Amino acid sequence: PNDAQEPSPDVLTEREGEVLKLVAHGLSNQSIASQLSITLKTVKAHVSSILQKLELDSRVQAALYALRHSIVQLDEL
């Protein structure tokens, strides 16, 4: 894959976008589940989907992606 061209955040569903924001804020899967009133299993599925769609390997990369694409701002963290 061409590293210069990252997938657009538009590939994510609205819910995946919410989960990505919370991941970028450093929340655990359990905390995300509680905050969004969804199951831990659902959070894990969303995180897996986010990483796959954005071609990322880890939550850390996802958090950095969220910053680079202005999904979260540093001053929010």
Side-chain angles (χ1 to χ4, degrees), residues 24-66:
H25 281 217
L27 273 66
S28 67
N29 285 349
Q30 187 63 65
S31 297
I32 293 170
S34 298
Q35 191 155 333
L36 297 180
S37 302
I38 58 180
T39 67
L40 183 56
K41 185 177 175 186
T42 301
V43 174
K44 288 179 179 175
H46 284 316
V47 171
S48 294
S49 180
I50 290 163
L51 295 179
Q52 188 175 8
K53 286 182 178 181
L54 299 181
E55 300 170 16
L56 303 170
D57 296 321
S58 70
R59 296 170 74 95
V60 173
Q61 287 182 355
L64 292 172
Y65 177 97

mmCIF file of all heavy atoms in Angstrom, residues 24-66:
data_model
loop_
_atom_site.group_PDB
_atom_site.id
_atom_site.type_symbol
_atom_site.label_atom_id
_atom_site.label_comp_id
_atom_site.label_asym_id
_atom_site.label_seq_id
_atom_site.Cartn_x
_atom_site.Cartn_y
_atom_site.Cartn_z
ATOM 1 N N ALA A 24 -8.928 7.621 20.982
ATOM 2 C CA ALA A 24 -7.921 8.684 20.922
ATOM 3 C C ALA A 24 -7.810 9.422 22.256
ATOM 4 O O ALA A 24 -6.755 9.931 22.597
ATOM 5 C CB ALA A 24 -8.253 9.662 19.797
ATOM 6 N N HIS A 25 -8.898 9.435 23.009
ATOM 7 C CA HIS A 25 -8.881 10.069 24.330
ATOM 8 C C HIS A 25 -8.281 9.137 25.380
ATOM 9 O O HIS A 25 -8.201 9.500 26.548
ATOM 10 C CB HIS A 25 -10.298 10.487 24.741
ATOM 11 C CG HIS A 25 -10.754 11.752 24.083
ATOM 12 N ND1 HIS A 25 -11.524 12.683 24.720
ATOM 13 C CD2 HIS A 25 -10.542 12.246 22.843
ATOM 14 C CE1 HIS A 25 -11.761 13.698 23.902
ATOM 15 N NE2 HIS A 25 -11.178 13.450 22.761
ATOM 16 N N GLY A 26 -7.902 7.930 24.953
ATOM 17 C CA GLY A 26 -7.218 7.009 25.852
ATOM 18 C C GLY A 26 -8.135 6.116 26.665
ATOM 19 O O GLY A 26 -7.683 5.465 27.605
ATOM 20 N N LEU A 27 -9.404 6.063 26.306
ATOM 21 C CA LEU A 27 -10.336 5.220 27.061
ATOM 22 C C LEU A 27 -10.124 3.747 26.733
ATOM 23 O O LEU A 27 -9.800 3.387 25.606
ATOM 24 C CB LEU A 27 -11.786 5.592 26.748
ATOM 25 C CG LEU A 27 -12.381 6.709 27.595
ATOM 26 C CD1 LEU A 27 -11.698 8.028 27.321
ATOM 27 C CD2 LEU A 27 -13.865 6.825 27.351
ATOM 28 N N SER A 28 -10.337 2.910 27.736
ATOM 29 C CA SER A 28 -10.276 1.457 27.535
ATOM 30 C C SER A 28 -11.560 1.012 26.830
ATOM 31 O O SER A 28 -12.563 1.740 26.802
ATOM 32 C CB SER A 28 -10.186 0.750 28.881
ATOM 33 O OG SER A 28 -11.392 0.936 29.604
ATOM 34 N N ASN A 29 -11.517 -0.205 26.292
ATOM 35 C CA ASN A 29 -12.724 -0.750 25.666
ATOM 36 C C ASN A 29 -13.885 -0.769 26.653
ATOM 37 O O ASN A 29 -15.018 -0.450 26.302
ATOM 38 C CB ASN A 29 -12.468 -2.172 25.146
ATOM 39 C CG ASN A 29 -11.634 -2.174 23.881
ATOM 40 O OD1 ASN A 29 -11.397 -1.137 23.262
ATOM 41 N ND2 ASN A 29 -11.185 -3.345 23.483
ATOM 42 N N GLN A 30 -13.593 -1.140 27.905
ATOM 43 C CA GLN A 30 -14.649 -1.202 28.923
ATOM 44 C C GLN A 30 -15.255 0.174 29.174
ATOM 45 O O GLN A 30 -16.470 0.327 29.272
ATOM 46 C CB GLN A 30 -14.090 -1.778 30.225
ATOM 47 C CG GLN A 30 -15.160 -2.034 31.272
ATOM 48 C CD GLN A 30 -16.179 -3.070 30.834
ATOM 49 O OE1 GLN A 30 -15.853 -4.229 30.642
ATOM 50 N NE2 GLN A 30 -17.419 -2.651 30.638
ATOM 51 N N SER A 31 -14.401 1.193 29.246
ATOM 52 C CA SER A 31 -14.893 2.564 29.459
ATOM 53 C C SER A 31 -15.716 3.041 28.274
ATOM 54 O O SER A 31 -16.742 3.708 28.444
ATOM 55 C CB SER A 31 -13.721 3.521 29.674
ATOM 56 O OG SER A 31 -13.014 3.177 30.838
ATOM 57 N N ILE A 32 -15.269 2.693 27.070
ATOM 58 C CA ILE A 32 -16.014 3.066 25.859
ATOM 59 C C ILE A 32 -17.382 2.388 25.879
ATOM 60 O O ILE A 32 -18.409 3.021 25.598
ATOM 61 C CB ILE A 32 -15.223 2.686 24.592
ATOM 62 C CG1 ILE A 32 -13.949 3.540 24.490
ATOM 63 C CG2 ILE A 32 -16.092 2.866 23.330
ATOM 64 C CD1 ILE A 32 -12.965 3.086 23.418
ATOM 65 N N ALA A 33 -17.409 1.117 26.237
ATOM 66 C CA ALA A 33 -18.680 0.374 26.302
ATOM 67 C C ALA A 33 -19.647 1.057 27.270
ATOM 68 O O ALA A 33 -20.819 1.269 26.938
ATOM 69 C CB ALA A 33 -18.420 -1.072 26.731
ATOM 70 N N SER A 34 -19.135 1.433 28.438
ATOM 71 C CA SER A 34 -19.981 2.093 29.441
ATOM 72 C C SER A 34 -20.493 3.432 28.929
ATOM 73 O O SER A 34 -21.674 3.753 29.059
ATOM 74 C CB SER A 34 -19.196 2.323 30.732
ATOM 75 O OG SER A 34 -18.785 1.103 31.273
ATOM 76 N N GLN A 35 -19.587 4.212 28.336
ATOM 77 C CA GLN A 35 -19.957 5.556 27.895
ATOM 78 C C GLN A 35 -20.990 5.527 26.768
ATOM 79 O O GLN A 35 -21.879 6.366 26.709
ATOM 80 C CB GLN A 35 -18.709 6.310 27.439
ATOM 81 C CG GLN A 35 -18.969 7.778 27.223
ATOM 82 C CD GLN A 35 -17.709 8.615 27.371
ATOM 83 O OE1 GLN A 35 -16.776 8.259 28.067
ATOM 84 N NE2 GLN A 35 -17.694 9.741 26.694
ATOM 85 N N LEU A 36 -20.869 4.542 25.862
ATOM 86 C CA LEU A 36 -21.792 4.485 24.720
ATOM 87 C C LEU A 36 -22.969 3.542 24.967
ATOM 88 O O LEU A 36 -23.810 3.362 24.086
ATOM 89 C CB LEU A 36 -21.027 4.037 23.461
ATOM 90 C CG LEU A 36 -19.909 4.977 22.988
ATOM 91 C CD1 LEU A 36 -19.244 4.417 21.742
ATOM 92 C CD2 LEU A 36 -20.428 6.384 22.726
ATOM 93 N N SER A 37 -23.011 2.936 26.150
ATOM 94 C CA SER A 37 -24.078 1.980 26.496
ATOM 95 C C SER A 37 -24.169 0.847 25.486
ATOM 96 O O SER A 37 -25.251 0.512 24.998
ATOM 97 C CB SER A 37 -25.433 2.693 26.622
ATOM 98 O OG SER A 37 -25.345 3.705 27.598
ATOM 99 N N ILE A 38 -23.004 0.283 25.166
ATOM 100 C CA ILE A 38 -22.943 -0.882 24.281
ATOM 101 C C ILE A 38 -22.084 -1.940 24.973
ATOM 102 O O ILE A 38 -21.437 -1.654 25.981
ATOM 103 C CB ILE A 38 -22.369 -0.534 22.881
ATOM 104 C CG1 ILE A 38 -20.965 0.075 22.985
ATOM 105 C CG2 ILE A 38 -23.331 0.405 22.139
ATOM 106 C CD1 ILE A 38 -20.339 0.445 21.634
ATOM 107 N N THR A 39 -22.100 -3.162 24.451
ATOM 108 C CA THR A 39 -21.339 -4.228 25.098
ATOM 109 C C THR A 39 -19.853 -4.131 24.762
ATOM 110 O O THR A 39 -19.460 -3.539 23.753
ATOM 111 C CB THR A 39 -21.844 -5.616 24.672
ATOM 112 O OG1 THR A 39 -21.555 -5.797 23.284
ATOM 113 C CG2 THR A 39 -23.345 -5.771 24.916
ATOM 114 N N LEU A 40 -19.063 -4.759 25.611
ATOM 115 C CA LEU A 40 -17.622 -4.819 25.389
ATOM 116 C C LEU A 40 -17.331 -5.510 24.051
ATOM 117 O O LEU A 40 -16.465 -5.078 23.290
ATOM 118 C CB LEU A 40 -16.963 -5.583 26.542
ATOM 119 C CG LEU A 40 -15.448 -5.687 26.538
ATOM 120 C CD1 LEU A 40 -14.803 -4.314 26.487
ATOM 121 C CD2 LEU A 40 -14.976 -6.449 27.768
ATOM 122 N N LYS A 41 -18.092 -6.545 23.758
ATOM 123 C CA LYS A 41 -17.916 -7.276 22.498
ATOM 124 C C LYS A 41 -18.146 -6.348 21.302
ATOM 125 O O LYS A 41 -17.409 -6.403 20.309
ATOM 126 C CB LYS A 41 -18.894 -8.459 22.467
ATOM 127 C CG LYS A 41 -18.736 -9.364 21.272
ATOM 128 C CD LYS A 41 -19.691 -10.546 21.379
ATOM 129 C CE LYS A 41 -19.631 -11.386 20.121
ATOM 130 N NZ LYS A 41 -20.634 -12.459 20.142
ATOM 131 N N THR A 42 -19.144 -5.491 21.400
ATOM 132 C CA THR A 42 -19.444 -4.542 20.328
ATOM 133 C C THR A 42 -18.314 -3.536 20.165
ATOM 134 O O THR A 42 -17.912 -3.214 19.042
ATOM 135 C CB THR A 42 -20.778 -3.818 20.604
ATOM 136 O OG1 THR A 42 -21.813 -4.800 20.707
ATOM 137 C CG2 THR A 42 -21.126 -2.845 19.485
ATOM 138 N N VAL A 43 -17.772 -3.055 21.277
ATOM 139 C CA VAL A 43 -16.647 -2.120 21.209
ATOM 140 C C VAL A 43 -15.468 -2.781 20.497
ATOM 141 O O VAL A 43 -14.865 -2.191 19.604
ATOM 142 C CB VAL A 43 -16.199 -1.642 22.612
ATOM 143 C CG1 VAL A 43 -14.942 -0.784 22.510
ATOM 144 C CG2 VAL A 43 -17.311 -0.865 23.291
ATOM 145 N N LYS A 44 -15.162 -4.019 20.889
ATOM 146 C CA LYS A 44 -14.039 -4.731 20.268
ATOM 147 C C LYS A 44 -14.261 -4.885 18.768
ATOM 148 O O LYS A 44 -13.326 -4.737 17.972
ATOM 149 C CB LYS A 44 -13.847 -6.094 20.925
ATOM 150 C CG LYS A 44 -13.266 -5.981 22.323
ATOM 151 C CD LYS A 44 -13.116 -7.356 22.963
ATOM 152 C CE LYS A 44 -12.512 -7.239 24.347
ATOM 153 N NZ LYS A 44 -12.451 -8.540 25.040
ATOM 154 N N ALA A 45 -15.504 -5.163 18.377
ATOM 155 C CA ALA A 45 -15.829 -5.298 16.954
ATOM 156 C C ALA A 45 -15.614 -3.965 16.235
ATOM 157 O O ALA A 45 -15.063 -3.927 15.131
ATOM 158 C CB ALA A 45 -17.265 -5.775 16.785
ATOM 159 N N HIS A 46 -16.048 -2.873 16.859
ATOM 160 C CA HIS A 46 -15.859 -1.548 16.257
ATOM 161 C C HIS A 46 -14.383 -1.218 16.123
ATOM 162 O O HIS A 46 -13.948 -0.726 15.081
ATOM 163 C CB HIS A 46 -16.543 -0.462 17.099
ATOM 164 C CG HIS A 46 -18.031 -0.405 16.960
ATOM 165 N ND1 HIS A 46 -18.683 -0.483 15.752
ATOM 166 C CD2 HIS A 46 -19.004 -0.256 17.893
ATOM 167 C CE1 HIS A 46 -19.982 -0.394 15.943
ATOM 168 N NE2 HIS A 46 -20.204 -0.256 17.239
ATOM 169 N N VAL A 47 -13.596 -1.481 17.176
ATOM 170 C CA VAL A 47 -12.162 -1.177 17.136
ATOM 171 C C VAL A 47 -11.498 -1.994 16.016
ATOM 172 O O VAL A 47 -10.709 -1.458 15.232
ATOM 173 C CB VAL A 47 -11.485 -1.437 18.500
ATOM 174 C CG1 VAL A 47 -9.970 -1.331 18.391
ATOM 175 C CG2 VAL A 47 -12.009 -0.445 19.545
ATOM 176 N N SER A 48 -11.828 -3.266 15.929
ATOM 177 C CA SER A 48 -11.263 -4.108 14.860
ATOM 178 C C SER A 48 -11.614 -3.560 13.489
ATOM 179 O O SER A 48 -10.765 -3.504 12.595
ATOM 180 C CB SER A 48 -11.795 -5.545 14.976
ATOM 181 O OG SER A 48 -11.322 -6.136 16.145
ATOM 182 N N SER A 49 -12.862 -3.157 13.328
ATOM 183 C CA SER A 49 -13.323 -2.611 12.060
ATOM 184 C C SER A 49 -12.593 -1.309 11.717
ATOM 185 O O SER A 49 -12.180 -1.099 10.568
ATOM 186 C CB SER A 49 -14.836 -2.379 12.122
ATOM 187 O OG SER A 49 -15.301 -1.844 10.911
ATOM 188 N N ILE A 50 -12.421 -0.455 12.717
ATOM 189 C CA ILE A 50 -11.706 0.818 12.527
ATOM 190 C C ILE A 50 -10.281 0.553 12.052
ATOM 191 O O ILE A 50 -9.817 1.142 11.066
ATOM 192 C CB ILE A 50 -11.695 1.637 13.835
ATOM 193 C CG1 ILE A 50 -13.102 2.154 14.158
ATOM 194 C CG2 ILE A 50 -10.705 2.792 13.753
ATOM 195 C CD1 ILE A 50 -13.274 2.617 15.607
ATOM 196 N N LEU A 51 -9.589 -0.344 12.757
ATOM 197 C CA LEU A 51 -8.195 -0.635 12.400
ATOM 198 C C LEU A 51 -8.107 -1.208 10.985
ATOM 199 O O LEU A 51 -7.223 -0.832 10.208
ATOM 200 C CB LEU A 51 -7.570 -1.603 13.407
ATOM 201 C CG LEU A 51 -7.418 -1.074 14.837
ATOM 202 C CD1 LEU A 51 -6.799 -2.141 15.733
ATOM 203 C CD2 LEU A 51 -6.602 0.203 14.886
ATOM 204 N N GLN A 52 -9.049 -2.086 10.657
ATOM 205 C CA GLN A 52 -9.049 -2.695 9.325
ATOM 206 C C GLN A 52 -9.332 -1.651 8.242
ATOM 207 O O GLN A 52 -8.607 -1.555 7.254
ATOM 208 C CB GLN A 52 -10.091 -3.809 9.281
ATOM 209 C CG GLN A 52 -10.049 -4.626 8.012
ATOM 210 C CD GLN A 52 -11.019 -5.808 8.073
ATOM 211 O OE1 GLN A 52 -11.817 -5.927 9.001
ATOM 212 N NE2 GLN A 52 -10.945 -6.667 7.092
ATOM 213 N N LYS A 53 -10.373 -0.863 8.430
ATOM 214 C CA LYS A 53 -10.755 0.133 7.419
ATOM 215 C C LYS A 53 -9.686 1.200 7.220
ATOM 216 O O LYS A 53 -9.491 1.686 6.106
ATOM 217 C CB LYS A 53 -12.069 0.822 7.815
ATOM 218 C CG LYS A 53 -13.295 -0.044 7.645
ATOM 219 C CD LYS A 53 -14.540 0.744 8.020
ATOM 220 C CE LYS A 53 -15.811 -0.052 7.817
ATOM 221 N NZ LYS A 53 -16.998 0.752 8.178
ATOM 222 N N LEU A 54 -9.009 1.575 8.309
ATOM 223 C CA LEU A 54 -8.004 2.634 8.215
ATOM 224 C C LEU A 54 -6.599 2.077 7.976
ATOM 225 O O LEU A 54 -5.629 2.825 7.929
ATOM 226 C CB LEU A 54 -8.025 3.498 9.483
ATOM 227 C CG LEU A 54 -9.340 4.219 9.759
ATOM 228 C CD1 LEU A 54 -9.240 5.047 11.023
ATOM 229 C CD2 LEU A 54 -9.760 5.081 8.576
ATOM 230 N N GLU A 55 -6.513 0.733 7.837
ATOM 231 C CA GLU A 55 -5.235 0.058 7.564
ATOM 232 C C GLU A 55 -4.202 0.364 8.648
ATOM 233 O O GLU A 55 -3.061 0.725 8.369
ATOM 234 C CB GLU A 55 -4.708 0.434 6.175
ATOM 235 C CG GLU A 55 -5.663 0.047 5.060
ATOM 236 C CD GLU A 55 -5.283 0.622 3.708
ATOM 237 O OE1 GLU A 55 -4.145 1.078 3.526
ATOM 238 O OE2 GLU A 55 -6.154 0.612 2.816
ATOM 239 N N LEU A 56 -4.635 0.233 9.904
ATOM 240 C CA LEU A 56 -3.779 0.501 11.057
ATOM 241 C C LEU A 56 -3.570 -0.779 11.851
ATOM 242 O O LEU A 56 -4.362 -1.711 11.757
ATOM 243 C CB LEU A 56 -4.435 1.565 11.951
ATOM 244 C CG LEU A 56 -4.758 2.894 11.260
ATOM 245 C CD1 LEU A 56 -5.606 3.765 12.160
ATOM 246 C CD2 LEU A 56 -3.487 3.611 10.850
ATOM 247 N N ASP A 57 -2.490 -0.791 12.647
ATOM 248 C CA ASP A 57 -2.136 -1.994 13.401
ATOM 249 C C ASP A 57 -2.448 -1.917 14.885
ATOM 250 O O ASP A 57 -2.421 -2.931 15.573
ATOM 251 C CB ASP A 57 -0.637 -2.292 13.247
ATOM 252 C CG ASP A 57 -0.271 -2.607 11.809
ATOM 253 O OD1 ASP A 57 -1.063 -3.289 11.128
ATOM 254 O OD2 ASP A 57 0.796 -2.153 11.366
ATOM 255 N N SER A 58 -2.698 -0.723 15.401
ATOM 256 C CA SER A 58 -2.863 -0.605 16.852
ATOM 257 C C SER A 58 -3.737 0.586 17.228
ATOM 258 O O SER A 58 -3.972 1.488 16.422
ATOM 259 C CB SER A 58 -1.497 -0.432 17.513
ATOM 260 O OG SER A 58 -0.973 0.844 17.193
ATOM 261 N N ARG A 59 -4.174 0.573 18.491
ATOM 262 C CA ARG A 59 -4.941 1.695 19.041
ATOM 263 C C ARG A 59 -4.111 2.977 19.034
ATOM 264 O O ARG A 59 -4.644 4.054 18.851
ATOM 265 C CB ARG A 59 -5.363 1.381 20.470
ATOM 266 C CG ARG A 59 -6.297 0.214 20.601
ATOM 267 C CD ARG A 59 -6.467 -0.160 22.061
ATOM 268 N NE ARG A 59 -7.288 0.799 22.764
ATOM 269 C CZ ARG A 59 -8.597 0.669 22.957
ATOM 270 N NH1 ARG A 59 -9.218 -0.397 22.526
ATOM 271 N NH2 ARG A 59 -9.271 1.593 23.604
ATOM 272 N N VAL A 60 -2.801 2.831 19.271
ATOM 273 C CA VAL A 60 -1.928 4.013 19.262
ATOM 274 C C VAL A 60 -1.943 4.646 17.875
ATOM 275 O O VAL A 60 -2.079 5.869 17.734
ATOM 276 C CB VAL A 60 -0.488 3.646 19.688
ATOM 277 C CG1 VAL A 60 0.443 4.827 19.501
ATOM 278 C CG2 VAL A 60 -0.467 3.165 21.126
ATOM 279 N N GLN A 61 -1.806 3.831 16.847
ATOM 280 C CA GLN A 61 -1.864 4.358 15.480
ATOM 281 C C GLN A 61 -3.225 4.994 15.210
ATOM 282 O O GLN A 61 -3.306 6.026 14.543
ATOM 283 C CB GLN A 61 -1.606 3.238 14.459
ATOM 284 C CG GLN A 61 -0.163 2.794 14.414
ATOM 285 C CD GLN A 61 0.083 1.725 13.360
ATOM 286 O OE1 GLN A 61 -0.844 1.248 12.710
ATOM 287 N NE2 GLN A 61 1.334 1.349 13.205
ATOM 288 N N ALA A 62 -4.280 4.387 15.728
ATOM 289 C CA ALA A 62 -5.624 4.943 15.543
ATOM 290 C C ALA A 62 -5.738 6.317 16.199
ATOM 291 O O ALA A 62 -6.310 7.248 15.621
ATOM 292 C CB ALA A 62 -6.674 3.987 16.106
ATOM 293 N N ALA A 63 -5.156 6.454 17.406
ATOM 294 C CA ALA A 63 -5.192 7.741 18.103
ATOM 295 C C ALA A 63 -4.429 8.802 17.310
ATOM 296 O O ALA A 63 -4.893 9.940 17.158
ATOM 297 C CB ALA A 63 -4.608 7.599 19.505
ATOM 298 N N LEU A 64 -3.268 8.433 16.779
ATOM 299 C CA LEU A 64 -2.484 9.384 15.979
ATOM 300 C C LEU A 64 -3.219 9.751 14.690
ATOM 301 O O LEU A 64 -3.213 10.909 14.267
ATOM 302 C CB LEU A 64 -1.105 8.793 15.666
ATOM 303 C CG LEU A 64 -0.195 8.635 16.885
ATOM 304 C CD1 LEU A 64 1.057 7.856 16.508
ATOM 305 C CD2 LEU A 64 0.165 9.983 17.471
ATOM 306 N N TYR A 65 -3.861 8.771 14.080
ATOM 307 C CA TYR A 65 -4.658 9.018 12.883
ATOM 308 C C TYR A 65 -5.757 10.046 13.205
ATOM 309 O O TYR A 65 -5.981 10.993 12.444
ATOM 310 C CB TYR A 65 -5.290 7.702 12.397
ATOM 311 C CG TYR A 65 -6.198 7.851 11.200
ATOM 312 C CD1 TYR A 65 -5.735 7.603 9.916
ATOM 313 C CD2 TYR A 65 -7.525 8.247 11.362
ATOM 314 C CE1 TYR A 65 -6.572 7.746 8.814
ATOM 315 C CE2 TYR A 65 -8.356 8.389 10.269
ATOM 316 C CZ TYR A 65 -7.880 8.146 9.003
ATOM 317 O OH TYR A 65 -8.705 8.301 7.916
ATOM 318 N N ALA A 66 -6.419 9.845 14.344
ATOM 319 C CA ALA A 66 -7.511 10.748 14.746
ATOM 320 C C ALA A 66 -6.999 12.179 14.901
ATOM 321 O O ALA A 66 -7.685 13.140 14.527
ATOM 322 C CB ALA A 66 -8.149 10.258 16.038
#
